[in-house]
Amino acid sequence: MTTPSDSSRAALLSAFGCYVMWGFMPLLFMGQHAVGFDALEILAHRALWAVAVASLLVFLAGQGGQVRAALTNPKTLGWLTASTLLIGINWGVYVWATTHEATLEASLGYYINPLLNMVVGLWLFREKIDRWGWIAIGLAAVGVLFQALALGRPPWISLILAFSFASYGVIRKRVPIDAQAGLLIECLLLVPFGLAWVVWLQHTGAGVAFDSPVNTAWALLNGPATVLPLALFAWSARRLPLSTIGFIQFLAPTLQFAVGVWAGEALTPLRVVSFAFIWGGAGVFAAAALLRHRAARRALKDSLPA
């Protein structure tokens, strides 16, 4: 019999697992790039093989009915088409960044994302931002400014990743479908483009995925690497407080940052200052989330009869 503590521990491990996978994702794309894959070929195989894994998870979860209902509902399918476009942009920019020595800039985007979500919540859902939230957003904004000074241009990769993923989250929040079923439909919508590109590459001799068993293994890894972290996240997010998720979510960009440094990307003093402000904003965000959670628990405890 599973106890509540066992369930919480499993949810915590699942959350850590998904963010660790996302954090080390650049190594997968760097490894493929090292054996000849370009960003578009990686993206095509990511869409192609994710379908197989997503289909298996949907089958195991018994969510086939959700998929069929969504495919026959024009409004739902329209929203998922929009989310597919956004996640396609997000995947494409991220793969390009990690294969072109821009992993540090990519990690900045995922530090910004939870802070951007607060602004989106204020704008679209009339959610309130407290003083600590504004401080976190302000620190992040200063960090982005320093990043632009360090790069000599706006940090487009960071901004595109943050805005595309935040917009994706808004759309998926509005669509009444589970994460795994929705991801399967998004992959199904991307498959024609991925398949067409893979066929074209093989026809012209420019593809490398089937040149050797090792390259084929690299290509196939894109399926589970894309789907499994999302499945773990979806499972753990239903069972953990948002404050806990708020802490753990910064693990992924921190690991991405470490991978970028390990790969030898330039870490100038100005970029260090930029990330210091970003880390400050992330720390304030996480600490405020913890304080709100503790206050809510105290209020609930005080409201219970003695």
Side-chain angles (χ1 to χ4, degrees):
M1 181 176 177
T2 302
T3 65
S5 61
D6 290 337
S7 179
S8 298
R9 191 177 300 112
L12 193 61
L13 289 174
S14 295
F16 271 105
C18 79
Y19 283 111
V20 167
M21 288 182 190
W22 279 329
F24 285 121
M25 193 80 76
L27 293 176
L28 172 64
F29 303 139
M30 290 175 183
Q32 291 177 76
H33 187 62
V35 297
F37 287 80
D38 65 15
L40 282 176
E41 187 171 9
I42 294 172
L43 185 62
H45 282 283
R46 192 174 187 185
L48 203 58
W49 303 115
V51 167
V53 182
S55 297
L56 176 62
L57 291 182
V58 165
F59 173 76
L60 292 175
Q63 296 175 354
Q66 286 191 43
V67 174
R68 289 190 292 272
L71 289 173
T72 55
N73 185 314
K75 184 178 179 180
T76 300
L77 190 57
W79 279 115
L80 287 173
T81 300
S83 69
T84 300
L85 176 62
L86 288 166
I87 203 62
I89 291 170
N90 184 274
W91 287 359
V93 171
Y94 187 71
V95 171
W96 188 92
T98 57
T99 56
H100 287 77
E101 299 182 354
T103 305
L104 292 179
E105 191 176 345
S107 73
L108 177 67
Y110 289 108
Y111 277 118
I112 296 171
N113 185 69
L115 304 175
L116 180 62
N117 284 340
M118 287 197 293
V119 177
V120 171
L122 173 68
W123 178 42
L124 291 180
F125 304 110
R126 299 295 187 265
E127 296 176 359
K128 293 183 179 180
I129 300 178
D130 61 18
R131 176 182 59 181
W132 296 110
W134 285 116
I135 291 173
I137 291 168
L139 288 170
V142 174
V144 170
L145 176 62
F146 273 106
Q147 188 77 188
L149 293 173
L151 294 169
R153 58 170 174 78
W156 294 117
I157 292 172
S158 307
L159 295 174
I160 291 172
L161 289 174
F163 277 91
S164 62
F165 202 68
S167 302
Y168 173 79
V170 168
I171 291 176
R172 289 302 302 272
K173 187 180 178 71
R174 293 177 177 271
V175 180
I177 189 170
D178 285 335
Q180 290 153 211
L183 178 64
L184 174 57
I185 294 175
E186 289 163 350
C187 290
L188 288 171
L189 292 171
L190 287 171
V191 153
F193 302 99
L195 182 60
W197 189 248
V198 169
V199 170
W200 170 255
L201 289 175
Q202 293 307 119
H203 176 70
T204 59
V208 301
F210 305 109
D211 285 353
S212 70
V214 171
N215 283 15
T216 302
W218 275 116
L220 292 174
L221 275 174
N222 285 295
T226 297
V227 177
L228 292 182
L230 184 64
L232 289 173
F233 172 78
W235 189 84
S236 61
R238 294 191 186 99
R239 294 164 174 82
L240 289 176
L242 287 178
S243 59
T244 303
I245 295 291
F247 269 112
I248 301 173
Q249 69 184 328
F250 291 111
L251 179 60
T254 300
L255 291 174
Q256 292 162 10
F257 177 89
V259 170
V261 173
W262 169 81
E265 293 182 18
L267 187 60
T268 63
L270 205 54
R271 293 192 87 175
V272 171
V273 172
S274 166
F275 274 100
F277 275 98
I278 293 294
W279 291 330
V284 169
F285 173 91
L290 179 62
L291 289 174
R292 284 194 299 271
H293 175 62
R294 287 180 174 174
R297 288 186 64 181
R298 282 198 300 269
L300 178 62
K301 185 177 180 180
D302 292 342
S303 67
L304 295 175

